[in-house]
Amino acid sequence: MARERQFSRRSLLGGAAAAAGAVALTSTSAGTATAASARDVDVAVIGGGIAGLTAARNLVAGGRTVAVLEARDRVGGRVVNLSLANGGVTEGGGEFIGPTQDRIKALADSLGVATFTTYNTGKNLLYKDGTRTPYATDGLLGSVPPVDAAGLANAAIVQAKLDDMAKTVPVDAPWTAAKAAEWDKQTFESWLNANAIVPSAKFLLDVACTSIFSAQPRELSLLYVLFYIAAAGNESNPGTLERLTDTANGAQESRFVGGSQQVPLKLAAALGDRVVLSAPVRSVVRSGGTYVVTADGITVTAKKVVVAVPLPLTGRIVFDPLLPAARDQLSQRMPMGSIGKAIAVYDTPFWRADGLNGQVVSDSGVVRSTFDNSPPDASYGALMGFIEADEMRAYDASSVDEVKAAVLKDYVTYFGDKAKSPTSFVLQRWDNEGFSRGGPVAYAPPGVLTEYGAALRKPAGGIHWAGTETSTYWTGFMDGAVRSGERAAKEVLAAL
């Protein structure tokens, strides 16, 4: 029987302004919109996340002039470091990298940003039906949560089916798969209901879904889920569900020393005053053979434009002439997932002394998956919990104190009374962040990929598209963002 792995938690390509007393780290040599009211360049890049900054870096390397317009007062997009009261930092957004995420690793290496292994020593915790069960991850069954044998067998069969189906989905054009029409007509939930017939197996797959997409199975097209699995690899290694969900040998295997925002911060520092902060773009107007990009405080005239913002937010920019209808319809139909990250900081990572690695899978509470977010030297402890999908939406309008109380209640349930009184607490709610409005990725409900998917990367005149949603591999991850920026830059350099 195929081994069923733990459905832990994927990396999220998130990022936003700090909350609950945390501060985003924004030190770069980028300018502000008031520093220069007009520029004339070869390429205007809209969005200063990893995708936009990567595109800009490659365009500059290709000998072109560039202006990067970033709406926030920081770079990084859905990747952000939050400073802690004790002087440390934690990641409020995209955090993890793992095997086959070659492009983000190569970029980080080139910038001198090192990685370290995610803490994974000790037992995981399963909290299900009111029972807390520690379990080893290095035994015969690997990191499988100890649900009943029938559930394990059923989940293994379902996972193998998903992986086999995903192998038939072309990552560059999932809408052309032989069964694309059939798979895109149904939700992931309807398929699970027919295949994950043991309740405990359905629980494992539901947890995997919300952990990967920050969306419920009822919201996702089956075709999109299969594409996402197929994309969890590279040109030499087919994607698998296990690689998406695992820590060791999976997408959560490593973290960045100093926090993941070190990557976009160093990218922006190298680009210098080509990066303009606090400059949300309002319109892109073609004028003869050029484009006039108007942002708050600055106007840029450019031969080409790279748009690298979350897919739904492209609809908030006025384009003249209008974008092709299919591209605009696509952006209307792919919403962001709903996600938050809650980090409680303690004097020590006390759970390690109890033989725990800080990772939880739960069927209840506001936080249903957690990680040990402590620094490499364990000079303090940090528990990070994901708030996702229905749970995040239920708390979008709640105060920070209300969310904190609910989160700490869960942490006490999982880790005991020592979790009750952290030295500090930070909360990042992507749904409430104006220039992301959710995360980690914009996903496709039924019917979207087969009807509009072909418009995802197709240039609109001199306008090219980047952003993790447009990547063929590691969509929704930092690696996908890098790949999309590299592709967009290559397209533009070939066109100029």
Side-chain angles (χ1 to χ4, degrees), residues 48-68:
I50 289 178
L53 294 172
T54 297
R57 182 196 203 209
N58 286 19
L59 288 165
V60 170
R64 296 298 177 172
T65 56
V66 172
V68 179

Side-chain angles (χ1 to χ4, degrees), residues 10 208-215 220 224-225 228 337-338 439-441 443:
R10 43 100 37 193
C209 178
T210 54
S211 294
I212 292 167
F213 300 102
S214 298
L220 300 160
Y224 183 74
V225 172
Y228 213 82
S338 298
V441 66
Y443 62 85

Side-chain angles (χ1 to χ4, degrees), residues 38-415:
R39 296 190 188 185
D40 191 342
V41 296
D42 292 324
V43 187
V45 177
I46 302 174
I50 289 178
L53 294 172
T54 297
R57 182 196 203 209
N58 286 19
L59 288 165
V60 170
R64 296 298 177 172
T65 56
V66 172
V68 179
L69 301 175
E70 167 54 45
R72 300 175 175 90
D73 61 359
R74 62 168 182 83
V75 295
R78 287 169 272 179
V79 176
V80 64
N81 287 354
L82 305 178
S83 63
L84 301 173
N86 64 8
V89 299
T90 193
E91 298 92 342
E95 176 173 347
F96 302 107
I97 69 167
T100 75
Q101 295 187 10
D102 311 308
R103 300 316 304 154
I104 181 65
K105 183 62 166 62
L107 176 60
D109 288 346
S110 73
L111 296 169
V113 182
T115 60
F116 67 100
T117 302
T118 303
Y119 190 80
N120 198 36
T121 302
K123 294 182 177 181
N124 287 20
L125 283 174
L126 171 67
Y127 187 80
K128 188 173 184 296
D129 299 326
T131 300
R132 175 183 177 275
T133 307
Y135 62 99
T137 62
D138 56 358
L140 181 63
L141 295 177
S143 56
V144 57
V147 298
D148 58 276
L152 294 177
N154 188 202
I157 292 170
V158 170
Q159 177 170 304
K161 282 184 179 179
L162 289 169
D163 284 348
D164 287 344
M165 294 159 68
K167 289 175 184 176
T168 71
V169 176
V171 293
D172 59 342
W175 46 89
T176 66
K179 293 188 176 181
E182 174 188 339
W183 291 340
D184 206 30
K185 287 179 181 178
Q186 58 186 301
T187 65
F188 186 41
E189 181 172 56
S190 65
W191 187 87
L192 285 178
N193 287 340
N195 289 272
I197 56 177
V198 179
S200 56
K202 179 65 159 53
F203 157 71
L204 292 176
L205 274 298
D206 283 347
V207 169
C209 178
T210 54
S211 294
I212 292 167
F213 300 102
S214 298
Q216 302 295 145
R218 67 176 184 269
E219 300 176 286
L220 300 160
S221 159
L222 173 61
L223 177 62
Y224 183 74
V225 172
L226 296 174
F227 156 69
Y228 213 82
I229 294 170
N234 59 16
E235 293 78 1
S236 304
N237 299 276
T240 66
L241 180 58
E242 182 177 49
R243 191 177 294 121
L244 275 171
T245 58
D246 269 4
T247 300
N249 301 313
Q252 287 69 241
E253 184 173 74
S254 300
R255 298 168 58 199
F256 288 110
V257 176
S260 52
Q261 199 188 2
Q262 287 294 316
V263 174
L265 286 171
K266 291 194 174 188
L267 275 173
L271 289 166
D273 64 5
R274 297 180 183 90
V275 180
V276 183
L277 303 178
S278 301
V281 170
R282 306 303 180 183
S283 65
V284 178
V285 177
R286 190 171 67 203
S287 178
T290 62
Y291 289 88
V292 178
V293 181
T294 302
D296 290 2
I298 184 170
T299 299
V300 175
T301 302
K303 299 172 186 175
K304 303 289 182 182
V305 178
V306 173
V307 179
V309 300
L311 189 62
L313 299 191
T314 60
R316 301 186 183 184
I317 301 172
V318 174
F319 291 89
D320 183 9
L322 294 173
L323 294 178
R327 188 51 167 76
D328 200 52
Q329 292 276 314
L330 180 70
S331 69
Q332 293 177 42
R333 284 167 167 77
M334 288 187 68
M336 302 296 286
S338 298
I339 188 167
K341 292 179 78 173
I343 301 99
V345 179
Y346 304 89
D347 289 333
T348 63
F350 60 85
W351 49 93
R352 298 184 184 182
D354 296 330
L356 301 175
N357 62 18
Q359 296 176 41
V360 171
V361 174
S362 177
D363 67 349
S364 60
V366 62
V367 168
R368 303 194 178 189
S369 62
T370 68
F371 276 88
D372 182 330
N373 253 39
S374 308
D377 62 2
S379 56
Y380 59 88
L383 279 174
M384 182 273 287
F386 289 100
I387 311 173
E388 303 184 276
D390 284 349
E391 284 67 50
M392 187 68 264
R393 290 187 280 263
Y395 279 87
D396 279 340
S398 300
S399 70
V400 172
D401 285 344
E402 289 171 331
V403 178
K404 178 180 178 181
V407 168
L408 293 183
K409 180 181 178 182
D410 290 340
Y411 288 0
V412 169
T413 296
Y414 304 146
F415 299 105

